[in-house]
Amino acid sequence: GSKVKVDASYLSPHVNLASRLEAATKQFRVPLLMSEDFVKGLTGTTQSNCRRVDSVTFKGSNEPMCIFHYDSEPFDSLAKVKGYDGLEQLLEECKVEDDDYTRIGIEKEEIEKLLSSHKVALARQVYEKGFLLYIDGEWEKSKVVLAMWLRAFPGDHLAHVLLDRIREQG
């Protein structure tokens, strides 16, 4: 021992959060998750490659926290991936007739235009819209938007997980 004692209690919440984030990577099927505070400290360019994943309240915390994923792969690669077991069935469950888009308040043509854009920032707006609808509890709308996203980017684990969660909510 040292004569100088260090109070490491200030580290404990950060270590716990890191552990919780690491455990959540398995649920979201991604290699890395980050807290909102961490993402705020990143450069603007790096932040632009981060997507919100969910709003969660980890054990030991009272406040919900938005968690993020860093998209290290270009979106083009997500478009080329075949997809996952059960994806076709999931997308079939989310299928909406053309006249129902208007009924539920989804601008189908606008979303299709964004998805077909070769500008990643525009296409990402579709995921963000589906995510915000998910956070707001607008399950039917979120399901439709995220399904459109997954048809364009079938390799996206995050949208698949969100759709699975919506399906579990009934």
Side-chain angles (χ1 to χ4, degrees):
S2 169
K3 291 181 182 179
V4 179
K5 300 255 185 201
V6 176
D7 180 11
S9 63
Y10 71 94
L11 288 174
S12 184
H14 302 291
V15 172
N16 288 339
L17 175 59
S19 177
R20 305 268 191 266
L21 286 168
E22 192 276 329
T25 61
K26 293 166 187 63
Q27 294 172 314
F28 290 100
R29 304 178 202 148
V30 294
L32 175 69
L33 290 171
M34 301 168 286
S35 70
E36 187 169 11
D37 286 339
F38 182 84
V39 171
K40 285 178 183 176
L42 299 173
T43 65
T45 303
T46 304
Q47 284 181 16
S48 70
N49 288 317
C50 294
R51 276 192 292 160
R52 292 191 282 181
V53 175
D54 206 344
S55 180
V56 298
T57 304
F58 288 116
K59 183 179 177 183
S61 176
N62 297 329
E63 295 295 317
M65 169 192 306
C66 197
I67 56 176
F68 291 78
H69 168 67
Y70 179 76
D71 288 315
S72 58
E73 299 292 322
F75 276 105
D76 294 358
S77 66
L78 295 176
K80 295 174 185 169
V81 173
K82 184 178 180 183
Y84 308 99
D85 290 339
L87 179 61
E88 286 305 317
Q89 179 184 348
L90 183 62
L91 292 176
E92 188 61 34
E93 290 174 21
C94 298
K95 197 171 188 178
V96 176
E97 299 299 323
D98 283 342
D99 54 341
D100 286 335
Y101 284 96
T102 304
R103 178 185 60 78
I104 62 173
I106 300 293
E107 299 290 332
K108 181 182 178 187
E109 293 78 19
E110 177 187 331
I111 291 173
E112 287 173 339
K113 183 179 176 182
L114 289 170
L115 287 172
S116 64
S117 169
H118 294 291
K119 295 181 180 174
V120 173
L122 293 177
R124 286 173 66 112
Q125 289 178 22
V126 176
Y127 174 86
E128 186 68 13
K129 180 177 182 72
F131 174 80
L132 291 173
L133 290 166
Y134 167 83
I135 291 296
D136 291 343
E138 295 194 47
W139 309 119
E140 186 177 14
K141 290 179 182 181
S142 178
K143 182 171 68 172
V144 170
V145 173
L146 290 171
M148 292 177 77
W149 172 264
L150 269 175
R151 283 186 186 94
F153 302 104
D156 185 21
H157 294 280
L158 297 177
H160 191 103
V161 169
L162 291 178
L163 276 177
D164 281 343
R165 288 189 170 190
I166 290 170
R167 183 168 48 182
E168 290 168 9
Q169 296 295 324

